[in-house]
Amino acid sequence: MSDFSVKIWLIEEPVIKHPNADRLIVVKIGGYECIANLNDDGSFRYNQGDAVVYIPEGALVPEWLLRRLDMWNEVENKGFLAGSHGNRVKSIKLRGIHSQGILYPVSGGFHEPLSDEYGQTQYMCIDVDNDAKDINGNFIFPDGVETMEVEFDKDYAQTLEIVKYIPPVPIHMAGEVMALFGVPAKYDFENLKSVPDMFDDFDMVVATEKLHGTFVQFGCVHGLHHEELFGKNKNIYVCSKGLGSQGLVFKNNEQNKNNLYVKALNKLLNNGLDEYLNDVVNESNLTFRIFGEIYGGNVQDLSYGLNQPELKIFDIMTGNSFIDYNDFIRLTALGNLSVVPVLYCGYFDIEKLTLLRDGKTTLAGNHIREGLVVKTIQNKNHPRHGRKISKLISPDYLLRKGNTTEFT
């Protein structure tokens, strides 16, 4: 599963000059490309074999770090990045090359690992601000540069005071909530560029169109009867991605009647979802969770030719396990639930999938496709990354004008 993180990467491929700019270089980090400036003397700022901090899209970078990166405008008193404060990392296109994320150097060299248990822990040096704090809130590196132990799989966001950008939630997506800890499931996964080894060539996968809307989760809990929940048995909940990750769900009350997520659930309940969910749950005694995307009119900047919001389903959990895709198709058909469009089914083939990632949406509306979601047909786990599921995002989607970010 994906969580926002700022990690250290090793530059494994040769760094090249930007083909259309004399003062820029192109650095590959995993599946991403990042554009950086040359040093003042014309030498490469980064080289193959260097360790760097990769700061991803959607990160808010503190002022001290922007100054270290020469990304601070003294005249305007703001950074050179996106957003009103110039501190938000976004995808950009520079002289024909798509750049995703920015880099921060990790100085020092590689030495003998502290432990070879995972083959990842190394001694290195990282340059951090005098006021940076460790995960326990203690000040570290009083002299600005010290030797520390760093790990490639460790998250350094807090150390570097980097946080994830959270867009303000529109009124029709906000509402009164209640705690239902341990019931809503966290749901997120990595971009395939971050986990290029997620799939094997012999994995049978299904690729569906990724829709630009807002995530919604419905669930039905066996034996749970709460007056502020939904359905005749008061055991059905609804939440957004952000609320669900905190164990919070929307209340079934008058104040939430115009809430986008509540309206989507009530529409399904009016079409028979209540009976369907309770039949499934009573038969299995397991919590049943449905994951989908609300899209269309008044949701995001891509309307898909719709004046009103619609819903499509892309995943189901029974208990604590995601179901296989064939079972997903069977259960959504039984519940009369509309599913996201399937664009590919077969052996994992990155070239075919990359071609399908781009272009127009397969739904109504004359606009670009966000990308794909790829997962194994039989629910499988990767030994390091967890569930075998990833997203491929179209560069044209990331670079579109007037774009909006998914609300959580």
Side-chain angles (χ1 to χ4, degrees):
M1 289 299 182
S2 170
D3 290 303
F4 177 81
S5 60
V6 177
K7 296 183 179 181
I8 292 174
W9 289 70
L10 188 67
I11 301 175
E12 296 182 338
E13 298 188 36
V15 177
I16 63 172
K17 286 285 296 291
H18 192 299
N20 304 314
D22 293 336
R23 298 290 301 173
L24 299 177
I25 57 175
V26 181
V27 185
K28 287 191 175 182
I29 297 293
Y32 297 100
E33 288 185 328
C34 300
I35 295 176
N37 294 322
L38 295 174
N39 290 317
D40 291 339
D41 63 2
S43 62
F44 278 24
R45 187 176 296 270
Y46 305 104
N47 291 281
Q48 185 178 18
D50 287 351
V52 294
V53 178
Y54 174 66
I55 305 174
E57 298 171 70
L60 294 180
V61 183
E63 179 181 333
W64 70 263
L65 185 50
L66 289 172
R67 290 179 180 276
R68 291 279 177 88
L69 292 168
D70 295 325
M71 293 182 176
W72 187 259
N73 188 324
E74 294 289 354
V75 175
E76 297 186 10
N77 195 35
K78 59 184 290 189
F80 287 130
L81 303 179
S84 59
H85 300 291
N87 63 341
R88 176 157 55 95
V89 180
K90 283 187 67 176
S91 291
I92 58 174
K93 199 170 189 178
L94 290 174
R95 303 287 184 90
I97 300 291
H98 184 208
S99 181
Q100 292 179 267
I102 59 177
L103 304 177
Y104 182 52
V106 174
S107 57
F110 290 92
H111 303 282
E112 291 299 317
L114 275 178
S115 169
D116 60 3
E117 181 179 0
Y118 300 105
Q120 294 168 343
T121 304
Q122 306 277 344
Y123 282 118
M124 284 195 274
C125 303
I126 185 169
D127 184 21
V128 296
D129 184 65
N130 292 344
D131 294 330
K133 298 178 181 180
D134 66 14
I135 59 175
N136 297 314
N138 300 314
F139 287 96
I140 55 176
F141 312 120
D143 298 322
V145 181
E146 291 287 345
T147 299
M148 68 179 294
E149 173 192 332
V150 298
E151 302 172 34
F152 285 102
D153 277 344
K154 182 178 177 180
D155 181 12
Y156 288 93
Q158 188 167 356
T159 301
L160 298 174
E161 298 179 322
I162 295 170
V163 297
K164 182 180 180 180
Y165 170 68
I166 304 296
V169 179
I171 294 176
H172 69 296
M173 295 186 187
E176 292 191 3
V177 299
M178 59 172 281
L180 205 62
F181 299 129
V183 176
K186 292 184 179 181
Y187 191 97
D188 210 351
F189 47 86
E190 298 281 4
N191 192 308
L192 190 57
K193 290 184 177 182
S194 298
V195 285
D197 60 336
M198 175 65 80
F199 300 101
D200 300 309
D201 291 342
F202 53 80
D203 278 331
M204 290 292 291
V205 301
V206 57
T208 55
E209 181 175 349
K210 191 176 189 306
L211 304 181
H212 181 54
T214 185
F215 171 99
V216 64
Q217 178 182 161
F218 311 110
C220 187
V221 186
H222 180 75
L224 180 64
H225 301 282
H226 195 293
E227 285 304 312
E228 291 183 304
L229 294 182
F230 297 82
K232 65 181 181 181
N233 292 332
K234 299 296 182 180
N235 63 348
I236 297 173
Y237 71 86
V238 59
C239 63
S240 65
K241 179 186 290 185
L243 290 177
S245 67
Q246 302 173 64
L248 302 175
V249 300
F250 290 109
K251 292 182 179 180
N252 181 10
N253 60 19
E254 184 67 18
Q255 289 80 2
N256 283 345
K257 68 177 183 179
N258 291 320
N259 174 274
L260 179 70
Y261 306 95
V262 170
K263 289 173 70 174
L265 173 59
N266 281 331
K267 183 178 179 180
L268 292 177
L269 294 177
N270 291 335
N271 290 331
L273 184 69
D274 194 340
E275 291 77 9
Y276 167 72
L277 285 178
N278 277 285
D279 285 346
V280 172
V281 169
N282 289 334
E283 183 177 320
S284 65
N285 290 336
L286 296 174
T287 299
F288 191 76
R289 301 178 182 91
I290 300 174
F291 307 91
E293 193 83 3
I294 303 173
Y295 69 104
N298 302 315
V299 179
Q300 294 278 20
D301 60 302
L302 304 182
S303 67
Y304 296 88
L306 300 170
N307 294 323
Q308 297 296 322
E310 294 289 345
L311 170 70
K312 289 199 181 293
I313 307 303
F314 51 73
D315 232 334
I316 288 177
M317 286 183 78
T318 57
N320 294 317
S321 301
F322 288 96
I323 63 175
D324 294 341
Y325 188 72
N326 291 334
D327 290 331
F328 168 81
I329 293 299
R330 178 179 60 84
L331 287 176
T332 51
L334 287 173
N336 197 28
L337 300 170
S338 180
V339 301
V340 291
V342 175
L343 303 185
Y344 175 80
C345 196
Y347 286 108
F348 177 77
D349 186 322
I350 189 59
E351 293 184 1
K352 290 181 180 178
L353 292 170
T354 300
L355 290 174
L356 291 170
R357 176 197 66 186
D358 305 324
K360 300 291 185 181
T361 176
T362 59
L363 300 177
N366 186 29
H367 57 66
I368 58 176
R369 185 179 305 166
E370 177 176 344
L372 302 177
V373 174
V374 183
K375 60 185 177 183
T376 51
I377 293 176
Q378 288 187 317
N379 192 44
K380 296 168 63 177
N381 285 333
H382 187 280
R384 285 187 60 213
H385 308 311
R387 187 186 182 203
K388 285 199 167 188
I389 180 171
S390 291
K391 54 192 172 187
L392 285 78
I393 306 299
S394 168
D396 291 336
Y397 163 83
L398 293 172
L399 298 170
R400 73 195 187 284
K401 293 182 178 179
N403 63 75
T404 55
T405 304
E406 180 180 359
F407 301 107
T408 59

